[in-house]
Amino acid sequence: MIAPEGYTLDAAMIERPGNIDIQLDLFLDYANNVELYPAFQEYFRRSKPPLPPYAARTTRSSFHPAPRAYLRDNPNPTVQFLDTALFALETHVEEIAVAMRQFLTKTTA
């Protein structure tokens, strides 16, 4: 269902000079991100900020637990689970666009 130019373009963008080092820096810094999770969770519980309303499957049979965790800390979002994965915008662009327009209309009004 995904046009070859989609993942070909992604691969080309990753191969840009210097980008591999940037990606590795992000991966190596992920542990610092995890250490901040309790602060993020407290912020979500206290402030209840608007959150974008969609999530994708991570395997053929299950959704990633993160969206459900956001709902535990912030009951405001309406999460729409889509039967897609990495290339969600390529496979479900209409559904995501509608959900994002509704989200932005609601949160910027």
Side-chain angles (χ1 to χ4, degrees):
M1 290 183 58
I2 299 168
E5 60 269 17
Y7 50 82
T8 303
L9 179 60
D10 282 352
M13 296 303 283
I14 288 173
E15 292 298 324
R16 290 175 298 164
N19 193 52
I20 295 295
D21 292 330
I22 292 169
Q23 297 301 316
L24 288 173
D25 286 346
L26 287 171
F27 290 141
L28 291 172
D29 192 51
Y30 188 72
N32 292 321
N33 186 3
V34 173
E35 289 175 8
L36 292 172
Y37 280 8
F40 296 151
Q41 292 163 332
E42 175 57 29
Y43 170 75
F44 290 137
R45 281 191 293 272
R46 186 174 26 82
S47 301
K48 297 182 179 32
L51 295 172
Y54 65 91
R57 285 188 190 278
T58 54
T59 69
R60 289 182 183 256
S61 62
S62 68
F63 289 96
H64 195 278
R68 295 192 202 296
Y70 283 121
L71 291 172
R72 184 181 59 241
D73 294 326
N74 181 353
N76 291 333
T78 301
V79 176
Q80 178 183 356
F81 292 94
L82 300 173
D83 189 14
T84 185
L86 264 176
F87 293 96
L89 288 173
E90 283 84 353
T91 60
H92 290 74
V93 68
E94 288 88 11
E95 295 97 321
I96 293 172
V98 167
M100 292 306 294
R101 279 191 196 109
Q102 291 170 345
F103 169 74
L104 292 171
T105 298
K106 182 175 135 184
T107 57
T108 60

